[in-house]
Amino acid sequence: VADGLATRGAVAADAGVLSTPGLAYIAKGDHFEAGVMISASHNPFEDNGLKVFSTDGVKLADALEHDVEERILDPALADPGAGRGKARPDPALVTHYVEHLAAEFGSGDGVAGRRLGRDCANGAAAAIAPGLYRRLGAAVETLGTAPDGRNINLGCGSLHLDALAERVRDGGFDLGLAFDGDADRCLAVDRRGRVVDGDHILYLSARALKRDGALSGSRVVATIMSNFWLEKHLADEGVTLLRAPVGDKYVLERMVEEGAVLGGEQSGHVIFRHLATTGDGMLTGLALLRALAGESETLEAILDRIRPYPQRLVNVRVKTKPDLRTHPAIGPEVEAAERALDGSGRVVLRYSGTEKLARVMVEAEREEDVAAHVERLADVIRREIGEL
């Protein structure tokens, strides 16, 4: 990367091991032209790739990202040759990011005195998160803090919560927090070892921000995959849930359009737009602890009241990809299902971006309604555009 940048006269600074949101913060706060993250994100190490952030600390727009990808994959692009550029190590950059988080949560609200389990996914947070949380007054026991270059996300982190759940449950911890490899996601487990996903974190964070009068427009942005319980429970709090396509960059775009300060995904990408330009796992964990400190009930009691709606996803192999909602035969069936579920469920239709698949998801209060509607819709899609 440094060699390529040098061919166009750019100079690179090397921040060392840093989380993706840390890089986004530095790109903006330290006035860089751009930030390039080398990461496998939540995937195995062999899936390492590049994430690029603008000088504003946000991911590139789709059109610009596509242009960059085309240039990278262009066989006519000359190899810059090794040794033309050398990134200048700058350990102060990590310090700037950590000090930013420490300043925001320096009062220790909800953190001080807590006994926390932590899984850093053998990734970017391993060298940063434990010290930060201890600095804010928490007693921390860690998992996934021995990266060797190949064990990132390997049976650990936010995609593999079993070990953390067992440790928190059996060890009498107050809470467990888990990040993915590049630490832009955070999920949690409660004292009983139950998963606290991104929907739960959005709900608790929305309540906290509303209590503080800081939930702009009383709006929260989630994706089409967030469970319907979140929409219903937020409505009970006087909060409107808006939905975006899957992907944290699309959540952020909708947040900007709507002036929302809170948004995120079930996977644990949660964006606090007044504090960061992207999802930040370490920040999310701190914000969750702060939100819980303001609740009159325990996390366990709140989770006891939440009943996720049954949902079912069916993949249908297709030969073409027309607009399902305007298709002359499929569209009316979709409308009929949505009328039947009005106020008690929803239908989500989308195509796979990489395969010839239509994904049909139905969510409703009653399991029998889910089964009936998803099968009916899958059948009509198979009949009309299914691959023989």
Side-chain angles (χ1 to χ4, degrees):
V1 171
D3 288 339
L5 289 168
T7 66
R8 292 295 183 268
V11 177
D14 182 2
V17 177
L18 180 65
S19 65
T20 289
L23 180 76
Y25 173 79
I26 288 167
K28 180 179 181 181
D30 287 67
H31 310 296
F32 285 93
E33 297 295 332
V36 180
M37 183 71 184
I38 303 172
S39 170
S41 188
H42 54 280
N43 301 309
F45 78 95
E46 59 264 25
D47 290 340
N48 263 330
L50 305 179
K51 292 182 179 181
V52 183
F53 291 86
S54 74
T55 188
D56 295 321
V58 299
K59 292 179 181 177
L60 302 183
D62 284 352
L64 182 55
E65 186 175 82
H66 181 68
D67 181 46
V68 171
E69 287 177 350
E70 283 194 331
R71 292 173 185 235
I72 289 173
L73 297 174
D74 183 355
L77 186 68
D79 187 325
R84 292 198 58 172
K86 185 170 179 58
R88 171 180 52 84
D90 190 349
L93 297 175
V94 176
T95 302
H96 293 175
Y97 169 62
V98 173
E99 290 300 325
H100 155 66
L101 292 181
E104 178 59 39
F105 295 91
S107 61
D109 291 351
V111 183
R114 293 288 190 123
R115 190 161 176 259
L116 305 175
R118 179 64 49 74
D119 189 336
C120 294
N122 291 318
I128 305 172
L132 172 63
Y133 278 71
R134 290 185 181 116
R135 174 176 171 178
L136 296 175
V140 179
E141 181 173 313
T142 60
L143 301 172
T145 54
D148 62 11
R150 292 174 175 265
N151 62 355
I152 188 170
N153 300 308
L154 185 61
C156 57
S158 61
L159 268 67
H160 306 279
L161 292 168
D162 289 350
L164 179 63
E166 180 180 359
R167 186 71 194 98
V168 170
R169 184 181 62 245
D170 297 346
F173 290 86
D174 296 316
L175 188 72
L177 296 171
F179 310 122
D180 66 332
D182 69 337
D184 59 358
R185 301 185 186 194
C186 176
L187 295 181
V189 293
D190 74 354
R191 290 186 180 95
R192 301 181 201 166
R194 292 179 297 180
V195 173
V196 180
D197 67 16
D199 285 352
H200 296 115
I201 295 171
L202 284 174
Y203 175 61
L204 292 162
S205 299
R207 283 165 59 100
L209 289 171
K210 199 166 193 313
R211 283 195 302 268
D212 294 340
L215 189 64
S216 176
S218 291
R219 295 172 177 175
V220 173
V221 176
T223 74
I224 57 174
M225 300 309 293
S226 279
N227 195 278
F228 197 60
W229 78 258
L230 178 61
E231 190 168 329
K232 297 289 285 185
H233 280 251
L234 286 177
D236 292 342
E237 303 278 347
V239 177
T240 300
L241 182 70
L242 306 171
R243 294 184 184 269
V246 174
D248 59 316
K249 70 188 297 182
Y250 304 116
V251 171
L252 179 60
E253 287 174 3
R254 185 77 194 271
M255 291 173 69
V256 172
E257 289 171 6
E258 302 288 345
V261 296
L262 177 65
E265 301 184 279
Q266 267 185 335
S267 62
H269 281 126
V270 180
I271 302 172
F272 297 86
R273 197 162 69 91
H274 56 305
L275 301 177
T277 59
T278 187
D280 186 329
M282 286 185 284
L283 186 156
T284 297
L286 293 169
L288 174 60
L289 288 164
R290 177 184 282 176
L292 290 172
E295 292 284 353
S296 59
E297 299 176 282
T298 65
L299 172 60
E300 290 69 33
I302 294 170
L303 293 185
D304 285 343
R305 293 202 313 272
I306 294 172
R307 293 286 184 272
Y309 277 43
Q311 62 178 220
R312 187 173 163 196
L313 175 69
V314 174
N315 291 321
V316 180
R317 190 159 291 280
V318 296
K319 55 190 175 186
T320 59
K321 293 184 176 182
D323 186 322
L324 295 171
R325 291 183 176 274
T326 60
H327 188 279
I330 299 170
E333 291 290 342
V334 174
E335 291 176 4
E338 290 181 329
R339 282 196 303 269
L341 294 172
D342 185 34
S344 64
R346 64 194 182 102
V347 175
V348 176
L349 303 170
R350 64 188 183 103
Y351 288 113
S352 167
T354 56
E355 299 177 88
K356 294 171 70 174
L357 293 175
R359 305 194 192 279
V360 185
M361 194 273 279
V362 175
E363 195 172 65
E365 288 182 295
R366 301 192 309 165
E367 191 76 55
E368 54 266 36
D369 291 337
V370 172
H373 289 299
V374 78
E375 289 298 341
R376 187 177 302 114
L377 292 172
D379 284 345
V380 71
I381 292 171
R382 286 191 195 98
R383 185 174 68 246
E384 296 295 325
I385 59 172
E387 190 175 75
L388 298 178

